[in-house]
Amino acid sequence: MGNVTFNVARPSGVNHRTRLIDAEVADAIGRGIDQIVILGAGYDGRALRFGGARTRWFEVDCPSTPYARRPRSDAR
């Protein structure tokens, strides 16, 4: 079968997407943007990772998602 490795933590396409979006968000914050809206936020943790800046974050998703996400974020 050869040498095959699997990244069980996160598929490489998701890693690339995360790095790309994080770079754009960091650039926008660096330019002084004051609000960011994440549509379909799901379990996105970007607001937590970039928190502390003057930027206000708005996460828009289905009404049930924040309730399912809360126990996970409280554990941090």
Side-chain angles (χ1 to χ4, degrees), residues 15-64:
N15 285 331
H16 178 72
R17 177 184 173 274
T18 299
R19 285 192 308 268
L20 176 70
I21 295 171
D22 282 355
E24 292 295 322
V25 167
D27 182 57
I29 291 172
R31 288 183 282 118
I33 195 165
D34 58 356
Q35 296 181 1
I36 295 177
V37 178
I38 301 175
L39 298 176
Y43 291 96
D44 190 297
R46 198 162 276 111
L48 295 173
R49 291 197 314 274
F50 283 92
R54 291 180 288 167
T55 306
R56 292 182 63 196
W57 293 79
F58 299 92
E59 297 179 337
V60 180
D61 210 322
C62 295
S64 61

